[in-house]
Amino acid sequence: MPQIQVNGTTLYYEIHGSGTPIVFIHGHLSSHHMFEPQVEYFSKRAKVIVLDLRGYGNSGKLDVEVGHIMETQCSDLCELLNKLHISQATLVGCSSGSALAQTFAALHPDRVSALVLVDSYFAGCFGKKNHLLNICEACSWLSYYLPAEFS
């Protein structure tokens, strides 16, 4: 089970194939398993990296305040890429994983060769968010703190 220490926690990750790196980022209440068909397909022509974000799957606990989840997960992703010696990658984000991919691209544009956003919403990282989006986003982040039986 490949795990790596980043920012005071462990992240589970897998690497399949070789070539241009593609990082798949899952959304809320999911894990790297959601990308199994994509791993099988793309690993024949690229280096596919899947991970469990902190708080999910085989990764460590999500032990940060709600207001710092996105910045912490961006920092986790950056450190993971650094430790894997990946200077630039295509990011594929699904649902809230796409919000993470957008935010990461805004913070580290030199590390992202392309963005693929699936079932996405505008993360607001490129401009001002409206109040309704702020409320929806805050409510969705609370799901990270629910016990598994409530998810």
Side-chain angles (χ1 to χ4, degrees):
M1 214 164 67
Q3 290 188 327
I4 196 164
Q5 285 290 129
V6 298
N7 297 323
T9 194
T10 57
L11 287 185
Y12 176 84
Y13 71 97
E14 295 178 5
I15 298 176
H16 302 270
S18 62
T20 303
I22 304 173
V23 179
F24 287 87
I25 305 168
H26 65 82
H28 289 310
L29 308 176
S30 191
S31 72
H32 73 280
H33 290 293
M34 76 176 292
F35 295 113
E36 288 173 356
Q38 289 78 17
V39 168
E40 183 180 337
Y41 179 81
F42 287 103
S43 65
K44 294 173 185 168
R45 58 190 61 76
K47 177 187 283 187
V48 173
I49 300 148
V50 291
L51 70 143
D52 289 337
L53 298 172
R54 64 167 63 207
Y56 288 100
N58 298 314
S59 288
K61 293 186 178 213
L62 181 69
D63 55 357
V64 299
E65 294 179 24
V66 172
H68 298 286
I69 291 173
M70 186 69 72
E71 115 190 17
T72 301
Q73 289 180 331
C74 283
S75 181
D76 291 349
L77 179 56
C78 189
E79 193 168 335
L80 175 67
L81 293 176
N82 289 342
K83 289 187 175 192
L84 296 177
H85 306 290
I86 296 172
S87 60
Q88 194 174 58
T90 295
L91 301 183
V92 179
C94 182
S95 188
S96 61
S98 67
L100 176 61
Q102 291 175 63
T103 304
F104 185 87
L107 294 172
H108 307 282
D110 57 319
R111 304 295 302 266
V112 179
S113 56
L115 277 176
V116 179
L117 307 175
V118 181
D119 192 22
S120 181
Y121 58 91
F122 177 63
C125 58
F126 302 112
K128 228 178 169 186
K129 291 191 272 186
N130 68 42
H131 294 294
L132 180 59
L133 182 58
N134 284 336
I135 292 167
C136 292
E137 188 174 50
C139 289
S140 71
W141 285 126
L142 292 176
S143 69
Y144 274 112
Y145 292 99
L146 290 175
E149 58 269 15
F150 294 112
S151 304

